């Protein structure tokens, strides 16, 4: 019996073709709530970004954000895991010597050192405004949960990871990566949330479309890749549904008898 379902945002809940949440998905979420099934966001995004997206008026039980590093519900924080300060100091020093645009993500703030064409391209691709420019040296004295370097080649990616030994990366765009603690990830955040709600992994389901959903898919009981998902995610998924613009979430929930077709 499915007691909780986790949803990625971009390409899963939110279509960047229509820049909206499909109506069928909105109906599905409403029916899941009526059935008493918990619904959770599981995303790489920050809380401040979600306010500006057309998901802000949808109701969820809780949120696994920053790829599992910051998890909360309406009552407060369930779990958080910042990046080791040694790694943050190292990337700040690297940027000072060899500048590249990079977002630093705190609990309530996210900010970047500067914008360039790569930042504009990536932000346009995810329907999100350019991040605020601030002095990134504040990261020396504030907990950082995620960093997002832009305009990063594979060679630069390896240099960054070499100086951040407590971290791992996820590439979600050809021009951007997410860097989080090595012991983090959506799977880790979901594990802590399930402990809080006394739910077993086999009683859960997840929907996603990208590389940062792989560890989530390997943890939950039933994993559904969107039709528009990457091939590597489809290969680890329990099943593949239709794409986001063809009622993928709703159709999968009906297929597995979690919802009845209207």
């Amino acid at each position: 019996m499915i007691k909780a379902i986790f949803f990625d945002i971009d390409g899963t809940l939110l279509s960047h073709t229509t820049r909206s949440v499909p109506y069928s998905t909105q109906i599905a979420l409403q029916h899941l709530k009526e059935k008493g099934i918990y619904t959770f966001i599981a995303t790489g995004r920050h809380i401040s970004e979600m306010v500006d997206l057309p998901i802000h008026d949808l109701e969820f039980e809780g949120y696994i954000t920053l790829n599992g590093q910051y998890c909360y519900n309406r009552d407060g924080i369930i779990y958080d895991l910042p990046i080791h300060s040694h790694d943050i100091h190292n990337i700040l020093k690297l940027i000072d010597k060899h500048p590249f645009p990079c977002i630093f993500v705190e609990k309530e703030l996210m900010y970047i050192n500067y914008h360039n064409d790569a930042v504009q391209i990536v932000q346009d691709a995810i329907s999100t405004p350019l991040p605020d420019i601030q002095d990134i040296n504040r990261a020396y004295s504030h907990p950082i949960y995620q960093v997002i370097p832009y305009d990063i080649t594979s060679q630069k990616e390896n240099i960054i990871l070499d100086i951040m030994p407590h971290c791992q990366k996820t590439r979600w765009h050809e021009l951007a990566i997410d860097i989080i603690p090595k012991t983090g990830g959506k799977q880790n955040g979901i594990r802590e949330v399930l402990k809080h709600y006394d739910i077993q992994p086999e009683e859960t389901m997840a929907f996603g479309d990208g590389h940062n959903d792989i560890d989530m898919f390997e943890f939950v009981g039933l994993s559904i890749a969107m039709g528009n998902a990457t091939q590597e995610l489809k290969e680890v998924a329990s099943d593949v549904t239709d794409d986001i613009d063809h009622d993928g979430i709703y159709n999968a929930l009906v297929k597995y008898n979690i919802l009845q077709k209207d």
Side-chain angles (χ1 to χ4, degrees), residues 17-257:
T17 301
T18 64
R19 297 182 183 269
S20 65
V21 177
Y23 179 70
S24 64
T25 298
Q26 297 179 46
I27 294 298
L29 292 170
Q30 178 182 328
H31 289 341
L32 290 171
K33 181 179 180 181
E34 292 169 355
K35 292 192 68 171
I37 296 174
Y38 289 134
T39 57
F40 295 90
I41 289 287
T43 181
R45 284 187 180 266
H46 186 263
I47 182 172
S48 65
E49 294 179 291
M50 293 188 287
V51 173
D52 297 322
L53 296 175
I55 66 160
H56 69 274
D57 57 349
L58 300 176
E59 292 187 33
F60 295 92
E61 175 64 24
Y63 301 82
I64 290 88
T65 66
L66 305 179
N67 288 312
Q69 308 322 115
Y70 194 82
C71 310
Y72 61 95
N73 62 14
R74 62 180 64 88
D75 297 320
I77 301 172
I78 296 174
Y79 171 77
D80 70 326
L81 179 66
I83 294 174
H84 197 290
S85 60
H86 173 269
D87 291 17
I88 294 299
H89 291 181
N90 283 348
I91 192 171
L92 285 168
K93 292 173 183 176
L94 178 65
I95 293 171
D96 188 51
K97 291 181 180 178
H98 306 286
F100 55 86
C102 186
I103 290 179
F104 287 78
V105 183
E106 299 179 14
K107 172 185 174 182
E108 296 179 350
L109 290 176
M110 57 187 302
Y111 44 87
I112 195 168
N113 47 340
Y114 67 92
H115 301 150
N116 66 6
D117 290 344
V119 177
Q120 185 70 63
I121 290 169
V122 173
Q123 297 306 106
D124 286 347
I126 60 173
S127 306
T128 302
L130 291 171
D132 291 339
I133 295 175
Q134 290 194 30
D135 180 6
I136 61 173
N137 286 316
R138 66 173 280 129
Y140 278 114
S141 57
H142 293 78
I144 301 298
Y145 292 92
Q146 182 170 277
V147 295
I148 310 171
Y150 289 78
D151 211 3
I152 296 299
T153 62
S154 296
Q155 182 179 7
K156 290 181 181 177
E157 180 181 290
N158 291 332
I159 291 172
I160 292 171
L161 292 175
D162 284 344
I163 64 168
M164 300 183 76
H166 305 94
C167 290
Q168 61 175 310
K169 63 89 180 178
T170 295
R171 181 167 289 277
W172 52 275
H173 190 281
E174 62 181 5
L175 295 174
I177 59 175
D178 287 341
I179 296 179
I180 62 172
K182 192 172 285 185
T183 56
K186 288 187 180 182
Q187 177 184 124
N188 191 52
I190 290 172
R191 180 185 293 110
E192 297 301 322
V193 167
L194 293 185
K195 288 179 185 177
H196 181 82
Y197 284 90
D198 193 24
I199 296 173
Q200 300 304 309
E202 57 268 25
E203 297 173 319
T204 65
M205 182 178 190
F207 288 86
D209 73 307
H211 181 271
N212 66 340
D213 297 315
I214 290 176
D215 70 327
M216 171 171 73
F217 274 28
E218 292 172 341
F219 183 70
V220 299
L222 181 60
S223 56
I224 307 296
M226 304 300 290
N228 49 279
T230 62
Q231 186 58 37
E232 61 180 342
L233 187 68
K234 291 178 180 179
E235 290 174 359
V236 301
S238 305
D239 200 357
V240 178
T241 186
D242 300 300
D243 66 46
I244 184 171
D245 295 312
H246 293 87
D247 306 323
I249 288 176
Y250 179 84
N251 291 342
L253 292 170
V254 170
K255 177 180 178 178
Y256 285 93
N257 297 314

